[in-house]
Amino acid sequence: MLISVALGQVLSLLICGIGLTSKYLSEDFHANTPVFQSFLNYILLFLVYTTTLAVRQGEENLLAILRRRWWKYMILGLIDLEANYLVVKAYQYTTLTSIQLLDCFVIPVVILLSWFFLLIRYKAVHFLGIFVCILGMGCMAGADVLVGRHQGAGENKLVGDLLVLGGATLYGISNVWEEYIIRTLSRVEFLGMIGLFGAFFSGIQLAIMEHKELLKVPWDWQIGLLYVGFSACMFGLYSFMPVVIKKTSATSVNLSLLTADLYSLFCGLFLFHYKFSGLYLLSFFTILIGLVLYSSTSTYIAQDPRVYKQFRNPSGPVVDLPTTAQVEPSVTYTSLGQETEEEPHVRVA
């Protein structure tokens, strides 16, 4: 349980680094280039993971994967790119508090998609933990209002709120799809395909929508260092998140990421001279209590794991179950990790 909570906080710290570097770029150097920043991350993923797939042999080779599933990864790459873009774009239209609260919409999206597509079932303690985490986020948003923290323009609030809800929905779809891939296929395949199609689509979007902004950037060593820092944090987030999702779940990861805003705030107390409120500490510990409650017991799936593993072969293998074995009605979700020698033999019809 503690390991699950700790792994999630590592992801939150990486997001904190992403937020701080983005803030310096946009406010101190007037470099508003969200698509270019995403493009740099996708290029790194391409250089590391896509090239790894290219040199593999057999069914795990890049060309073999593209022949079987190219259109699925193309859709996933586009969803991942636009999820990032919509949330960043929302800051131009709505307030910080609205973004913080509406971004929590990703949690019910992940829960519903996990329930229907990954067949995950939750217990009462999980819903209690989720409620406590969201309560902590509400406490943080209230603290922002009380201390008068910068709320943004909020000139067209409805448009901004819709952008946040759209981005949160796409984030939820991307996270659940990511969980499915890393449990049934592999982490390297997911990151390699995201790097390939993410770089392709972000490159096109950069050329169409952001090339003028990129030319306005006053390039020097400080800006270059900020771009390097942003790319390193973003690459670390993308590379480490599949590891955490496989050990926990997409729902658990998204709950853990709620503390990222608080880490950014604590850094801002020293870097940007934000005003402090005791409600921030209350919010932080409330979210941690919710995470502990959620992680205190395992979720489970609605069917036997041997049936779940049939998704690895889209041609539909037939599994011969031993007649003497007792099939359990449900199993812990974490039992879907490595296959063991005790599994039944697979007979392809």
Side-chain angles (χ1 to χ4, degrees):
M1 178 185 68
L2 294 178
I3 290 176
S4 299
V5 174
L7 290 174
Q9 296 315 293
V10 172
L11 295 178
S12 283
L13 289 171
L14 288 171
I15 290 183
C16 173
I18 292 169
L20 290 176
T21 51
S22 295
K23 182 176 178 62
Y24 274 116
L25 283 169
S26 62
E27 295 190 2
D28 290 10
F29 297 95
H30 306 289
N32 298 306
T33 56
V35 179
F36 176 66
Q37 290 164 230
S38 295
F39 178 72
L40 292 177
N41 172 55
Y42 290 127
I43 288 295
L44 288 176
L45 293 175
F46 177 87
L47 293 175
V48 175
Y49 296 104
T50 309
T51 52
T52 300
L53 293 176
V55 299
R56 285 183 172 181
Q57 303 296 322
E59 293 300 310
E60 294 185 348
N61 178 263
L62 176 63
L63 294 179
I65 294 171
L66 287 174
R67 280 196 298 267
R68 296 194 304 270
R69 296 183 284 272
W70 67 271
W71 64 273
K72 297 178 182 178
Y73 285 117
M74 182 181 70
I75 295 173
L76 180 58
L78 191 59
I79 288 174
D80 187 77
L81 170 65
E82 297 309 322
N84 291 318
Y85 178 76
L86 289 179
V87 174
V88 172
K89 193 71 175 177
Y91 281 91
Q92 299 179 16
Y93 299 99
T94 190
T95 61
L96 177 65
T97 299
S98 291
I99 292 174
Q100 289 171 339
L101 293 177
L102 293 176
D103 202 32
C104 295
F105 185 68
V106 68
I107 295 172
V109 171
V110 169
I111 291 173
L112 289 175
L113 293 177
S114 298
W115 182 285
F116 289 108
F117 294 101
L118 299 183
L119 307 176
I120 298 178
R121 298 296 179 261
Y122 302 91
K123 301 174 184 177
V125 67
H126 295 123
F127 291 109
L128 177 60
I130 292 168
F131 174 77
V132 173
C133 286
I134 295 178
L135 189 65
M137 279 299 296
C139 181
M140 183 186 71
D144 283 341
V145 174
L146 290 176
V147 302
R149 189 178 169 197
H150 177 63
Q151 292 291 304
E155 296 176 353
N156 199 336
K157 198 169 183 299
L158 178 60
V159 173
D161 292 347
L162 291 176
L163 289 174
V164 178
L165 290 175
T169 302
L170 294 180
Y171 270 131
I173 296 171
S174 176
N175 288 165
V176 173
W177 204 337
E178 177 179 354
E179 181 173 357
Y180 172 78
I181 292 172
I182 63 177
R183 291 190 184 280
T184 58
L185 297 168
S186 75
R187 166 181 169 268
V188 174
E189 178 174 329
F190 168 77
L191 293 173
M193 292 296 100
I194 283 290
L196 176 63
F197 288 104
F200 175 74
F201 286 120
S202 62
I204 294 175
Q205 192 166 338
L206 174 63
I208 296 174
M209 302 177 61
E210 212 173 79
H211 64 281
K212 292 182 179 179
E213 286 292 332
L214 198 58
L215 293 175
K216 297 178 183 177
V217 175
W219 292 99
D220 59 21
W221 67 270
Q222 290 178 307
I223 290 182
L225 194 60
L226 287 172
Y227 275 116
V228 169
F230 175 91
S231 301
C233 291
M234 199 73 163
F235 178 77
L237 177 68
Y238 270 71
S239 298
F240 190 52
M241 184 177 283
V243 177
V244 182
I245 287 180
K246 191 167 186 178
K247 289 184 177 295
T248 56
S249 68
T251 305
S252 178
V253 165
N254 279 282
L255 290 174
S256 298
L257 296 183
L258 294 178
T259 58
D261 287 331
L262 286 163
Y263 288 130
S264 298
L265 171 74
F266 295 148
C267 292
L269 293 174
F270 302 98
L271 298 175
F272 309 115
H273 307 292
Y274 289 157
K275 293 181 180 179
F276 178 76
S277 170
L279 288 177
Y280 288 128
L281 285 178
L282 177 61
S283 173
F284 180 73
F285 288 112
T286 301
I287 294 175
L288 287 183
I289 290 172
L291 289 173
V292 170
L293 284 173
Y294 184 89
S295 304
S296 62
T297 184
S298 299
T299 54
Y300 62 96
I301 61 171
Q303 60 186 42
D304 187 87
R306 289 166 290 187
V307 181
Y308 186 87
K309 285 172 183 172
Q310 290 184 29
F311 286 119
R312 295 186 181 185
N313 189 345
S315 62
V318 177
V319 179
D320 293 327
L321 297 178
T323 56
T324 58
Q326 187 74 20
V327 179
E328 297 179 1
S330 64
V331 294
T332 58
Y333 192 69
T334 52
S335 65
L336 300 181
Q338 298 294 327
E339 299 183 19
T340 64
E341 296 180 356
E342 298 177 359
E343 291 179 349
H345 297 290
V346 176
R347 172 172 60 82
V348 180

